[in-house]
Amino acid sequence: MDKSRKYITLIEIGKKQTYIFSSNRLAENVGASIIIRKATEDDPEKFYRQYSPDVIYEGGGNALYVFRSKADGIEFAKAYSRYVMEEYPGLVLYLVGCELTDDMTVKEGTAECHRLLEQKKNEAQHMVHMIDFGSTRRCSETNLPSVPCDERILPDDRRGKPISAESVRKYKYSFEHKSYFKELLPEDYDFPSKLGELGQTEDESSYIAVVHIDGNRMSNKIASFNNKMKRQEGETGEEFDARYIQGLRELSSEIDQKYKEAFRELIGMIIKNMDKLKETLDLSGNCLPIRPLIMAGDDICFVTEGRIGVECARIFLENIQKKQVQGIPLNACGGAAIVKTHFPFSRAYDLAEALCRNAKNSISAEEDASYLDWHIEQGELKDNLQKIRSQYRAADGAILTYKPYRIIDIMEKDSFLHFKDAFHILTNSEIPRSKILGMREAAYRGKTATEYYLKSNQIDDELERTNWKRGESGFEEVNGKMKYLFFDAMEMLDMYVELE
C-alpha cells in the first residue's frame, strides 16, 4: 500500500504516579501498576489484531504502532480508548495519530506524534471533569463516588464501607493477577502483598523506603539512535521504514530487559543475604522485604523495608552501570524516601522523585554517572527538598551532608564508599551512642566546636585507633566547600543494613 497511507498511533498513560500512589494500601498500588501494564501490553492486541500493524514497542504505560492506513488506526483508537475508559476508571489515556505524507518517513512521523502528544498533554492541564451530581455516597478513602462491588476481592477492613470504582478495579486486578512481576522472582519466593509484610520490627523500626530510579539522558540516547539512523543510498522509503522500526523496537526492548536484569540481580543479592536479614528484620518464610511497583523501561520504582532501601538502591545502580545498550553504557540516578509505614504514599513517592532529580543535578555536562540521594522523614514532611537541605548547615557555614553520593568503586570525594567508610568507623568503634549524638550536636556548631568536643571526650583517640585518616574532625574541603562526612552516617546508624 502507498506509503502516504501509513498511520502512526502513539499511546501514553498519563499521571501514572498519581494513579499508582493515591493509596497507602499495597494491594491497590500493585493493582494500579498491573492495570497500566495491561493497558499498554495486553489490551491493545485485542483491538489491533485484525489490522496487523507494526508494533514498535508496548509496555510501561507507552505504546507505538504503525498502521497500514488511517482508517485502520482510527478504528483501533475508537475501540481501544472506549474499552480503557470503561474498564479502568480514573486512568488517564493520551492517544495521538499522524498520517504520513508522500515524503514522510516513519521516523519523521514518530517525531510528529511526540509533538502532538506534548500538545495534548498541555491542553489537558486546563480540562475540568464533573465527578458526580453531589447526591452519591463517597468512598471513605478517595472521596470519589462509591459503587457496589463483589467484596470478596477486598481486604477485611474495606468491606462494608463505600468504595470508588477506581479502587474496586485496582483491588480486582491485584486479586486476579497475582502472577504479575513473578518473572522477576526465583521459584519458592514471594513479594509481600501488604506494606506491613516488608519486615518492619514493631517498636524498633516501622519504616519503609520508596525508591525511584530513572535512567540518565535517555532522550539523548534515543536522539543519538535517530541521528545514526539515516536513509542509505539506493534504499527505498519502505526499506528505510522497516529498518527504522526494527531498530527502534530492538532499542526499546533492550533497555527494558537490561533494567529488569538489574532488578533480578538485586533480588538475587537480597536472597543471598536472607539469613542475615532475618536476624534484623521481621521476615517470615520466603517473603522478600521488597516489592516492585513500576517496571517501565528505565523508569523504576520499588518499596522496601526502611533499613535496606538505600542499600537496595545502591546495588541496583551498580548493576545497571555494568550494562550497555548498543555499545552505550547505562547509568541512572536514584532517590530513596525513608518514611513511616503509614506516611502518605503519594508524598513519599514525590519525595523520592525529588531526591532522584537532585541526584541528577550532580551530573556534570562532560560525563555520565550514577548518583544516589536519600532522606529520612521522621514525621510530617512540611518543606520541599531544597528547604530541608538548607537546614544541613553548621554555624560556620559548613555543609553537614555529602549527599548525593556517586556510585563508583573508587574513593573519590563524593563516592558512596566514603559514606560506608564513615558508617563503619562509627559502628566498629567503641564510641558510646550518647557521644555520637554529642558529635552530631557539635557538628551544628562547626568544625572548631567539633574538634574541641572530640578532644575533650577523647573520641579523637578512638578515631585514630580505627585508622581514620580523613581529617581529625571529619570536616574537609570539597570543591571549595567545607563538608562534614560523619553526619550522614550518624543519621543512618539505625537505618542502614549492609548487603554483601
Side-chain angles (χ1 to χ4, degrees), residues 298-397:
D298 68 315
D299 183 8
I300 305 293
C301 179
F302 54 86
V303 59
T304 74
E305 202 278 343
R307 287 165 288 185
I308 65 169
V310 168
E311 188 72 339
C312 286
R314 189 268 305 173
I315 292 169
F316 185 96
L317 293 174
E318 284 189 352
N319 292 342
I320 204 66
Q321 278 184 329
K322 299 172 185 175
K323 304 184 185 304
Q324 294 186 351
V325 169
Q326 299 185 358
I328 303 172
L330 291 176
N331 281 286
C333 288
I338 305 170
V339 299
K340 290 282 191 178
T341 300
H342 299 294
F343 188 87
F345 217 150
S346 59
R347 296 182 67 193
Y349 182 80
D350 289 344
L351 176 58
E353 265 198 326
L355 289 161
C356 186
R357 284 195 300 272
N358 194 51
K360 283 177 177 283
N361 290 337
S362 298
I363 305 172
S364 68
E366 296 77 27
E367 65 172 356
D368 191 10
S370 296
Y371 281 85
L372 172 61
D373 199 356
W374 69 84
H375 177 69
I376 305 171
E377 183 54 48
Q378 305 285 358
E380 287 294 321
L381 188 66
K382 297 179 180 178
D383 296 316
N384 60 33
L385 185 60
Q386 185 178 2
K387 289 183 179 179
I388 291 171
R389 288 292 158 82
S390 68
Q391 298 167 12
Y392 282 71
R393 289 274 184 173
D396 60 4

Side-chain angles (χ1 to χ4, degrees), residues 382-438:
K382 297 179 180 178
D383 296 316
N384 60 33
L385 185 60
Q386 185 178 2
K387 289 183 179 179
I388 291 171
R389 288 292 158 82
S390 68
Q391 298 167 12
Y392 282 71
R393 289 274 184 173
D396 60 4
I399 301 171
L400 299 179
T401 180
Y402 265 66
K403 295 177 289 190
Y405 286 93
R406 184 173 179 177
I407 306 302
I408 190 170
D409 58 1
I410 58 176
M411 274 286 193
E412 292 192 354
K413 290 285 187 181
D414 55 356
S415 168
F416 187 83
L417 293 176
H418 285 322
F419 162 75
K420 292 179 74 170
D421 193 21
F423 184 83
H424 292 155
I425 291 293
L426 294 180
T427 54
N428 295 334
S429 71
E430 296 179 2
I431 305 172
R433 183 61 66 92
S434 60
K435 291 190 176 181
I436 291 177
L437 293 175

